[in-house]
Amino acid sequence: MPASHETRKLAGIPIPALNRWVYAALLAFGVMVGPGVTPAHADLKLCNTTASRVGVSIGYKDTEGWASEGWWNIASHTCETLLKGVLIGRYYYIHAVDYDRGGEWAGGLFMCTDDKSFTIRDTEDCEKRGHKRTGFFEVDTGEERDWTVRLTDPEGEETKSQ
């Protein structure tokens, strides 16, 4: 029988003899590379491009319903990851406070916040539950897996980007 018609088995699958080295090389390559492969990072980040320190809170809807979290204290001209991992929703909501000059970045969607670090479920009856009712602005990620929000000085406006 000519060598080109000879068959061998690799992982129980018959393979032509002339190609067994190709299959073995691909299998070995997969074993060597496979464990080292890491998924791409996907996060929701916020960059403070202002001259001030800012406090940031976020709101989002997940499998358990609405939630708001805060505060991230972000120094001038730095970035922080607010949520780690692949974004599960298209819309996120942000409220930020300028600690040094006063003022805030706010919007028309109201969620609950507190003065100190918090995670609050639900957006109803904030004050009755002992929280503040705070306006958040909407961030449309366009269903991207990774998103960065940039806060700018008052002369500009907040910008959102991928």
Side-chain angles (χ1 to χ4, degrees):
M1 180 187 291
S4 63
H5 291 88
E6 178 184 348
T7 58
R8 306 273 175 153
K9 289 192 175 186
L10 178 65
I13 302 169
I15 58 172
L18 293 178
N19 292 329
R20 74 177 180 261
W21 300 112
V22 173
Y23 289 110
L26 289 173
L27 180 63
F29 181 74
V31 169
M32 290 185 317
V33 173
V37 174
T38 58
H41 290 288
D43 303 317
L44 177 64
K45 297 175 219 61
L46 186 131
C47 292
N48 173 14
T49 67
T50 74
S52 299
R53 294 171 304 122
V54 298
V56 176
S57 58
I58 61 170
Y60 55 87
K61 189 172 187 179
D62 62 14
T63 57
E64 297 177 39
W66 286 101
S68 54
E69 296 182 39
W71 293 95
W72 284 264
N73 295 314
I74 305 175
S76 174
H77 302 290
T78 61
C79 298
E80 283 286 331
T81 298
L82 304 180
L83 295 173
K84 292 182 187 283
V86 174
L87 301 180
I88 60 170
R90 176 175 177 168
Y91 299 100
Y92 292 86
Y93 302 88
I94 295 185
H95 177 85
V97 176
D98 184 322
Y99 289 143
D100 297 330
R101 293 180 291 183
E104 61 186 9
W105 292 262
L109 182 90
F110 290 89
M111 302 184 103
C112 303
T113 62
D114 276 331
D115 290 332
K116 301 207 182 216
S117 182
F118 67 91
T119 299
I120 303 171
R121 285 284 172 186
D122 200 7
T123 60
E124 300 298 318
D125 300 320
C126 295
E127 286 128 354
K128 286 182 184 176
R129 296 189 295 146
H131 308 298
K132 292 182 177 180
R133 184 174 180 261
T134 305
F136 286 66
F137 69 86
E138 183 177 271
V139 174
D140 181 354
T141 66
E143 297 184 10
E144 293 291 330
R145 298 165 47 102
D146 187 74
W147 198 263
T148 299
V149 177
R150 297 187 198 304
L151 294 180
T152 61
D153 277 314
E155 299 78 45
E157 60 182 81
E158 75 280 340
T159 58
K160 304 159 194 88
S161 63
Q162 294 180 22

